[in-house]
Amino acid sequence: VKRLRLAIANKDFTFKAGQWVDFFIPGVSVVGGFSICSSPGLLEREGILELAVKHTVHPPAHWIHTECTLDSEVALRVGGDFFFDPQPGDSPVKLVLIAGGVGINPLFSILLHIVDLHGYQEGKGNGYKMGTVKLYYSAKNTSELLFKKNILGLMNAFPGKIMCHFHVTQQSSQICKELQPHVTEGRISEKDLEKHVSKDTLWYICGPPPMIESISKLLSNIGVPRNCVFFEKWW
């Protein structure tokens, strides 16, 4: 997976945490589609947007891994109705974010946006008041857990406000000490999620379609209303 930092030339360009971009590369006829993994706040403060792109044969991803260099120019268009963008007057909600593999990208953007909301609330005292956030993040093994160090850092910086549980399904090596307390071997289960069911909880899921289908079904079984569940499928 390659992390890409893009300096945005258009000062009017904005996005909401969780959205994706269409990615237009000069000379490549296929348009890419990648979820943004940075926060809207980073774009506002520094004019920077970040993507984390897995290497595949898909021409745009292949170009990012083999031909993209410092100062390459591309065009972007924002899209997607999978986002978390609360306004100052909205009632506080709790969030459960559920990620599979590189499906972490838009959820990491949401997590970073929540950090900005906490900072805004503390600094100004009149921003959106955020409830707790629980992240469940599943991958084959710990080396495939993207942003894990950043996520642990956020948990330490916001104890009791941001919590994370990593799940690994095919771990063969020893799990490092720092991660051990936060890692469970096996898939995310009904038992993990049912304790978070409440009327003011929103659920965001992103990952491969089979995972989204099984988690959506599981949430339905434990009584989560359909209008509280948002998902983004990637292929």
Side-chain angles (χ1 to χ4, degrees):
V1 174
K2 187 174 265 194
R3 184 95 161 254
L4 204 59
R5 278 173 73 83
L6 299 155
I8 304 298
N10 178 353
K11 298 290 174 260
D12 298 325
F13 184 94
T14 61
F15 72 95
K16 296 179 173 116
Q19 287 189 303
W20 42 259
V21 287
D22 285 331
F23 193 89
F24 302 90
I25 303 159
V28 177
S29 59
V30 182
V31 177
F34 305 112
S35 290
I36 301 163
C37 64
S38 55
S39 72
L42 182 69
L43 177 63
E44 223 170 89
R45 293 186 297 269
E46 298 178 31
I48 296 289
L49 178 149
E50 293 188 341
L51 307 173
V53 179
K54 193 169 186 174
H55 187 221
T56 66
V57 294
H58 185 60
H62 185 71
W63 179 87
I64 286 168
H65 278 264
T66 58
E67 292 179 55
C68 179
T69 59
L70 189 64
D71 294 333
S72 292
E73 288 196 7
V74 295
L76 305 175
R77 180 176 58 206
V78 172
D81 50 11
F82 179 84
F83 56 79
F84 181 63
D85 184 36
Q87 300 309 303
D90 293 352
S91 335
V93 291
K94 299 184 191 108
L95 288 194
V96 180
L97 310 175
I98 304 169
V102 289
I104 187 63
N105 276 330
L107 300 181
F108 189 58
S109 173
I110 289 174
L111 202 54
L112 292 175
H113 185 49
I114 286 160
V115 167
D116 284 343
L117 290 173
H118 279 307
Y120 186 83
Q121 173 73 21
E122 282 158 21
K124 303 264 179 41
N126 60 355
Y128 175 75
K129 195 165 167 33
M130 189 63 221
T132 57
V133 183
K134 306 267 193 333
L135 170 66
Y136 284 87
Y137 179 10
S138 174
K140 282 181 187 166
N141 53 55
T142 52
S143 67
E144 290 197 12
L145 292 166
L146 304 183
F147 314 119
K148 53 184 173 282
K149 286 200 165 66
N150 312 64
I151 292 166
L152 288 178
L154 296 180
M155 284 172 65
N156 293 333
F158 295 91
K161 292 178 179 174
I162 293 175
M163 286 138 281
C164 176
H165 306 273
F166 298 113
H167 283 251
V168 290
T169 53
Q170 296 173 32
Q171 185 77 16
S172 52
S173 60
Q174 183 76 28
I175 295 168
C176 75
K177 247 200 181 88
E178 191 188 12
L179 276 179
Q180 263 171 2
H182 310 288
V183 176
T184 302
E185 299 209 27
R187 295 181 188 284
I188 298 164
S189 70
E190 195 169 305
K191 192 164 169 280
D192 295 316
L193 303 179
E194 63 188 359
K195 53 189 170 220
H196 306 305
V197 177
S198 75
K199 64 180 189 312
D200 58 350
T201 299
L202 299 179
W203 305 73
Y204 283 78
I205 317 166
C206 186
M211 177 210 168
I212 288 179
E213 276 147 34
S214 71
I215 297 282
S216 299
K217 200 169 164 193
L218 194 154
L219 293 179
S220 169
N221 292 348
I222 57 178
V224 175
R226 176 66 198 86
N227 64 346
C228 293
V229 180
F230 305 89
F231 52 80
E232 181 85 304
K233 292 184 187 183
W234 53 264
W235 283 264

